[in-house]
Amino acid sequence: MGRAFARAQRAIAGFAAMVLMIGVPVFADAQEAQDRGKNPADTLEIFLHQYLEHAGLPGGVIGIGYGTGQVRYAASGYATVAPDIGMTVDRQFYIGSLTKMMTAVVTLQLASEKRIDLADTIGKWLPKEYQGRIANADRATIRDLLRNSSGIPDYLDGEFFFQLVGRDPQHGWRNKDVLALMADRDAYFEPGKSYAPSNSNFILLGVMIEAVEGDHIERVFNRRIFEPAEMANTSFGRFPRPDLLAHGFDDANGDGKLEDVTDYDVGDQLADGGVISTAGDMVKFARALFVDGVLLGPNALKRATTDTAFAGSGSYGYGLMIGSSDWGPVWGHDGIYFGYSAEFSWFPDQDTVVVFLSNGRALNEVPNVTGLLMTGIFGNPRN
């Protein structure tokens, strides 16, 4: 482990030096780039190409949405392999835990409409057969679930879920199906006493949303998020796979090599990570949520970003990681799905969002894309 970690550290240091060498100034707008005699896309595309090569990822897309409304994109690598098809900015990807932000938004919408109370215990919404069988469900509130402070065990702990996926790759999981995987297990801690990320929290919120709305999770998200935010290329996963979906690659066999895992359903319809989207649609999501007030009012948004649980190097609000940087606060999430990885970072002081979507998971330790881009986007730190 020590040698592997040292190799990873050297690789990261080398990559950081490469970033400084190529400059990556992602100019504030196209005009500034033109004034300097450069193609405005060149440095961002070069950066992305180098990053993907370093990380060993097949392809990816970066989207940067500025406060002016301008959006910059870069795409590199491959959307499919054998046959090789180049990546384009309109490709869809699974966004993994970025879905949690959307589940939190719908939950807060229901609270604003007085259809639920954030102080309700989640057990109130469980099917009868699971009453009393999920640790802490009779005491953990909806607020606890939103902040990952419920102590409810993660259904993804261990390998059991993935063994089930291996036996039935196109099972068609639904939120209620997953309750069996979290039942009759010990809690991590008493509700509200600590923080531990648990996918179960957002599965349970999905069960609650479907019960309150009396409808399937995808139709709810369509009405409440995708249509109002004009996210035309966003949906939950489904079979057959959409033509625009970039094929996902992961180490399915444990042999240290990436294989095409696109046809594995590890949660297509689940509220903790089943959404597929594009970089452009995720930029629209950021503006609809943080700028235009399309999805949440200011009071709900303030509560979502200030009622937080301590989470090590930062804190966790309502489905949002709340952090700080040399350029001010940053809110967002990262995400992993089998064969895919994602980053979403909103900088409220600059009204700027950075989105990175990839159709692979790095097998070596690599730095965060957004962190490497920040000096290029915002200039030198203000302090």
Side-chain angles (χ1 to χ4, degrees), residues 122-363:
I122 193 60
K124 174 179 178 180
W125 303 101
L126 287 179
K128 288 183 180 179
E129 62 266 34
Y130 291 104
Q131 293 287 338
R133 294 187 56 201
I134 296 179
N136 285 355
D138 59 342
R139 295 185 295 157
T141 64
I142 293 173
R143 171 178 174 266
D144 289 325
L145 271 65
L146 287 167
R147 304 188 323 152
N148 273 327
S149 61
S150 73
I152 294 172
D154 191 343
Y155 77 96
L156 289 180
D157 274 356
E159 295 296 320
F160 184 60
F161 177 75
F162 298 102
Q163 291 170 3
L164 294 176
V165 169
R167 294 174 201 157
D168 186 5
Q170 298 188 16
H171 176 81
W173 294 93
R174 299 294 185 265
N175 291 301
K176 284 185 179 180
D177 295 340
V178 180
L179 297 178
L181 304 182
M182 60 181 86
D184 307 318
R185 296 172 57 187
D186 294 334
Y188 290 158
F189 48 79
E190 292 185 24
K193 298 296 185 180
S194 187
Y195 166 88
S198 174
N199 292 283
S200 296
N201 290 325
F202 290 85
I203 293 292
L204 289 164
L205 290 172
V207 170
M208 180 271 296
I209 288 168
E210 290 182 313
V212 173
E213 289 280 78
D215 205 352
H216 187 272
I217 191 80
E218 179 160 25
R219 287 190 288 270
V220 176
F221 276 41
N222 281 340
R223 290 194 303 269
R224 290 184 169 274
I225 298 180
F226 305 153
E227 291 172 5
E230 299 181 352
M231 298 166 67
N233 293 308
T234 303
S235 68
F236 278 84
R238 62 188 183 274
F239 289 103
R241 297 307 196 204
D243 290 341
L244 277 178
L245 181 68
H247 283 216
F249 294 85
D250 215 312
D251 183 9
N253 301 321
D255 60 1
K257 298 178 181 179
L258 295 179
E259 297 92 29
D260 191 327
V261 296
T262 309
D263 287 333
Y264 284 84
D265 171 13
V266 297
D268 280 0
Q269 302 289 309
L270 300 185
D272 64 333
V275 167
I276 59 176
S277 190
T278 65
D281 273 9
M282 291 307 298
V283 170
K284 290 180 180 178
F285 175 74
R287 296 203 65 83
L289 178 59
F290 298 122
V291 178
D292 300 330
V294 170
L295 300 179
L296 289 179
N299 292 337
L301 184 59
K302 181 177 180 180
R303 185 167 184 181
T305 55
T306 58
D307 183 11
T308 60
F310 175 71
S313 59
S315 57
Y316 199 86
Y318 293 176
L320 286 166
M321 297 174 178
I322 307 298
S324 59
S325 72
D326 291 337
W327 293 265
V330 54
W331 308 335
H333 222 293
D334 54 18
I336 290 175
Y337 191 90
F338 196 36
Y340 300 85
S341 51
E343 297 175 23
F344 175 100
S345 301
W346 172 254
F347 296 86
D349 286 357
Q350 292 84 7
D351 281 350
T352 297
V353 65
V354 180
V355 176
F356 169 65
L357 304 177
S358 176
N359 57 335
R361 288 206 294 164
L363 301 184

Side-chain angles (χ1 to χ4, degrees), residues 34-93:
Q34 291 167 1
D35 289 346
R36 299 190 187 195
K38 294 181 180 289
N39 182 324
D42 280 350
T43 50
L44 189 57
E45 290 177 357
I46 292 169
F47 164 80
L48 178 58
H49 174 77
Q50 296 285 355
Y51 183 88
L52 294 173
E53 282 201 342
H54 171 75
L57 295 171
V61 176
I62 290 174
I64 304 172
Y66 298 95
T68 60
Q70 182 195 8
V71 184
R72 293 277 309 283
Y73 296 108
S76 188
Y78 295 93
T80 70
V81 175
D84 295 350
I85 299 176
M87 185 64 71
T88 52
V89 298
D90 61 342
R91 283 287 182 171
Q92 295 172 312
F93 302 80

